[in-house]
Amino acid sequence: MGVLEAMIENIPLPKTARIRQRFDATRIEDVAAELTDKLRQPGGVDRIRPGNRVAIAVGSRGVDQIAELTRVTVAEVKRVGGEPFIVPSMGSHGGATAEGQAEVLAQLGVTEETVGAPIRSSMDVVQLGALPNGLPVYADRIATEEADAIIVINRVKPHTAFRAPIESGLLKMISIGLGKQKGAEATHQLGFGLMGENVPAMAEMMMSKLPIIFGVATVENAFDQVCRIEVVPAEEMRAREPELLQEAKARMPRLLFDQIDVLVIDWIGKNISGDGMDPNITGRFPTPYAHGGPDVNKMVVCDVTPHSHGNANGIGTADFASQRIVDKMDRVATYANGLTSTVVAPTKIPTTLPNDRYALKAAVKTCNILDYTQVRLVRIKDTLHLGEIEISEALLTEAQEHPDIEVLIPARELAFDAEGNLIADW
């Protein structure tokens, strides 16, 4: 046993109970039918002329039914005589390579076979101009030079690093997604404090110079299921997106405890959040320009998802990590994320313990309470799945009195494998 392990060996870990948090589960049952109807209304595919080459911008991870949304859009473009193709629109994701971005789309289920249109992936861009503050504005070369019309598809949701009337949605898909790595870099260059101004300003310049005709916007419920679909004409995006953002914020899931001593997160990853774990859930933001979520004293991260390919961006917002997540961390991919966004705190490696058990013990020891047996501990699978979570016994009374919480499994000992890592039975 090493020195660090000896310091925390006698720290007790609490039993945890499994609970269900209830949120509004309203969703669209038939996404394909809903989107088809919206696309056929005025301002949709009626803007496409027969023979038009139509670039469909797709790329954000974690968007519910993104492959189906893309397939239906492709089908409707073809129905009116358009010739659709897909352009990956994800800034610097996929290692900032054409092949990597096409691979990301394939992981999302968006391939030529599944959506019925070819994938035209390139990192080449055209500079369309510059903002008054000097930031250059870039756009995907293929979409710029070969498309007669451009459609963007994205979910509207709160951003993880700043607050503004427009955060993450259609305009961000245009300015950062269609801007590719160069556009993402330019948008982030002056920092997140100005993102609320620069994202819509860049998008509006791009819409004035590119044939962007409309966007397909979705809002998701607390269970990451589509509950609203809108086809928003380009000229209405600036006015409509703030309204959709307010709905998205109201529908977000959350942890129904305002103060947490220790938050344990089994999995982080780029397929869960651009920040590995959504700061809107954890209350740990990578910049001072966003706020919200619970008051968490100490946070532990245990593992990184296979889909993240070692990109452990966000690990630095935790206080403690298990050795296994650090071993799986691809530092080049992780650090590249920070270099592009200019926010490097989330890519730092936190205090690392040999396994989950010791990482949890360290968090309990340092959470600034007198009686360790009364620790207010919450364990979640990841920040996308908050319907069922685990809480320590110290939170049970509060949970039982909450109208939106149901206790599913009584408190039991935390289960660890032979290596001392948490056993997941989510």
Side-chain angles (χ1 to χ4, degrees):
M1 181 183 298
V3 173
L4 296 180
E5 293 93 317
M7 290 179 65
I8 55 180
E9 178 64 33
N10 293 326
I11 301 297
L13 292 178
K15 293 181 179 180
T16 59
R18 180 71 57 87
I19 67 169
R20 175 178 291 127
Q21 300 190 123
R22 299 190 186 94
F23 305 106
D24 183 355
T26 302
R27 67 187 180 97
I28 294 174
E29 296 294 336
D30 191 336
V31 166
E34 179 78 6
L35 177 55
T36 299
D37 177 66
K38 294 292 178 65
L39 287 168
R40 293 182 181 184
Q41 293 178 15
V45 292
D46 60 352
R47 296 187 168 195
I48 298 170
R49 304 276 74 83
N52 278 174
R53 295 164 297 177
V54 182
I56 303 175
V58 185
S60 285
R61 301 183 185 189
V63 177
D64 182 42
Q65 301 203 48
I66 185 62
E68 184 70 352
L69 294 166
T70 306
R71 183 194 66 78
V72 171
T73 303
V74 166
E76 284 302 297
V77 168
K78 287 182 175 179
R79 185 183 64 81
V80 296
E83 300 172 4
F85 60 92
I86 309 300
V87 290
S89 301
M90 57 187 78
S92 62
H93 293 179
T97 68
E99 298 76 16
Q101 296 207 340
E103 182 180 342
V104 170
L105 286 188
Q107 292 170 356
L108 298 176
V110 178
T111 65
E112 182 169 356
E113 292 71 30
T114 59
V115 303
I119 312 295
R120 303 286 304 280
S121 184
S122 169
M123 297 306 294
D124 292 340
V125 293
V126 175
Q127 183 172 346
L128 300 179
L131 297 185
N133 61 14
L135 287 181
V137 179
Y138 298 101
D140 177 271
R141 180 178 293 277
I142 293 175
T144 300
E145 297 181 350
E146 300 186 26
D148 301 303
I150 300 172
I151 299 167
V152 296
I153 303 176
N154 203 16
R155 165 188 54 186
V156 176
K157 68 181 185 68
H159 200 276
T160 58
F162 71 93
R163 291 288 173 263
I166 291 173
E167 296 180 19
S168 185
L170 296 176
L171 295 184
K172 179 172 176 280
M173 172 61 81
I174 294 170
S175 59
I176 295 179
L178 267 177
K180 314 298 283 193
Q181 193 274 336
K182 294 279 287 184
E185 189 172 59
T187 310
H188 290 88
Q189 187 166 348
L190 296 183
F192 281 97
L194 294 174
M195 286 282 277
E197 300 173 23
N198 292 331
V199 164
M202 286 183 165
E204 289 198 323
M205 175 176 284
M206 293 171 75
M207 287 191 288
S208 72
K209 295 177 179 291
L210 299 175
I212 298 173
I213 54 175
F214 63 79
V216 175
T218 67
V219 173
E220 295 179 4
N221 65 20
F223 301 96
D224 300 295
Q225 300 166 321
V226 177
C227 62
R228 179 182 294 278
I229 300 174
E230 290 197 7
V231 173
V232 186
E235 66 274 14
E236 297 177 15
M237 285 184 192
R238 183 72 185 259
R240 182 58 180 144
E241 192 166 316
E243 298 168 347
L244 294 175
L245 177 61
Q246 289 306 308
E247 179 178 354
K249 287 182 176 181
R251 291 186 175 277
M252 276 195 72
R254 64 186 183 92
L255 296 172
L256 299 177
F257 303 95
D258 293 329
Q259 193 279 319
I260 298 170
D261 294 325
V262 176
L263 175 61
V264 181
I265 303 175
D266 282 14
W267 296 94
I268 69 170
K270 293 293 286 187
N271 60 311
I272 293 168
S273 169
D275 288 78
M277 47 191 163
D278 191 341
N280 295 295
I281 304 300
T282 66
R284 293 285 188 91
F285 292 89
T287 76
Y289 308 112
H291 53 82
D295 173 18
V296 174
N297 192 305
K298 292 297 185 291
M299 188 159 70
V300 179
V301 290
C302 301
D303 210 342
V304 60
T305 63
H307 295 90
S308 201
H309 301 289
N311 188 332
N313 184 48
I315 189 173
T317 58
D319 302 288
F320 298 98
S322 177
Q323 186 63 49
R324 61 171 167 163
I325 186 173
V326 175
D327 289 342
K328 293 179 182 180
M329 181 178 174
D330 181 332
R331 298 194 188 190
V332 173
T334 305
Y335 295 163
N337 210 114
L339 289 173
T340 298
S341 70
T342 75
V343 180
V344 297
T347 66
K348 296 178 181 179
I349 299 175
T351 301
T352 304
L353 281 300
N355 53 35
D356 294 353
R357 179 188 283 113
Y358 282 119
L360 266 65
K361 284 176 176 286
V364 173
K365 183 184 189 302
T366 60
C367 75
N368 306 120
I369 59 175
L370 285 174
D371 185 352
Y372 297 138
T373 66
Q374 295 303 304
V375 64
R376 294 168 62 88
L377 182 146
V378 173
R379 178 190 176 194
I380 63 175
K381 177 182 179 181
D382 55 54
T383 56
L384 280 180
H385 299 90
L386 299 179
E388 291 189 13
I389 65 174
E390 293 190 356
I391 62 171
S392 62
E393 290 179 295
L395 286 167
L396 266 177
T397 298
E398 186 176 332
Q400 290 165 341
E401 293 174 351
H402 198 292
D404 293 320
I405 293 178
E406 174 188 0
V407 178
L408 301 177
I409 301 174
R412 54 187 176 169
E413 298 286 349
L414 287 165
F416 297 93
D417 62 21
E419 283 73 44
N421 293 320
L422 284 165
I423 295 174
D425 62 345
W426 298 104

